[in-house]
Amino acid sequence: MIALIRTPRAQMILVALLVGFAGSRHFQLEEVYRSDWLTQQELFTQMSERIPGLAKGTILLSNDIPVTYYSDNSLTGPLNWIYSPPGEMNVMLYFASIRVGKTLPSLDPGQPHQLYYIGPTFHGNTDNILVVNFEPPGCFRVIDPEVEVDNRLLAACGARCGLGFRSECDPVRETEPVTSSVLSRRAGAGLVLF
């Protein structure tokens, strides 16, 4: 394309413009990835502070977390590095707007749910749903349907979502909290989350 331009000055201007556009695009992508990384760090830091441990088979139902290049699928991996033993998939993160009625076909009580991820398979139950909300710069919140009757996320997934808060099937464990030593040990295994 540059060879089609006859004058060297015009060639230099075209090359300079192309390099400038490429550099600008690279800078924009870097900013988006940096923003996504900071959002992801905040999500997992606040989540591990507010939810010290999760029962095996828990489904986290969330609003669409504002990240560009990540989805609930890609955030489920780090979530399991925090809350599951190595090599296991004990918890699942779903964005309610995407998964309810599709990947998670029913929110009716007592429905078994299984999802194969290349390698581990998640086994859960709709009795073990925990509804959460994270909208940065706001705080990560575990949604309590008795307190947040007007929450949009609860309305989107129906009244069934609140069953995850019943005391007989509370997915939040008080034992074996996620600590900094657990995070640093798992980070040493190859992933740095914080």
Side-chain angles (χ1 to χ4, degrees), residues 48-63:
S48 63
E49 290 171 356
R50 287 167 180 79
I51 305 174
L54 285 170
K56 186 174 184 175
T58 299
I59 300 169
L60 289 177
L61 201 54
S62 172
N63 64 308

Side-chain angles (χ1 to χ4, degrees), residues 122-148:
F122 171 76
H123 299 277
N125 192 299
T126 55
D127 282 340
N128 214 13
I129 291 178
L130 188 64
V131 181
V132 298
N133 188 50
F134 182 62
E135 295 181 38
C139 293
F140 177 88
R141 295 186 352 253
V142 177
I143 306 299
D144 186 340
E146 293 176 11
V147 175
E148 300 191 52

Side-chain angles (χ1 to χ4, degrees), residues 170-182:
D170 190 5
V172 178
R173 294 186 309 200
E174 295 300 325
T175 59
E176 300 179 40
V178 176
T179 62
S180 59
S181 64
V182 170

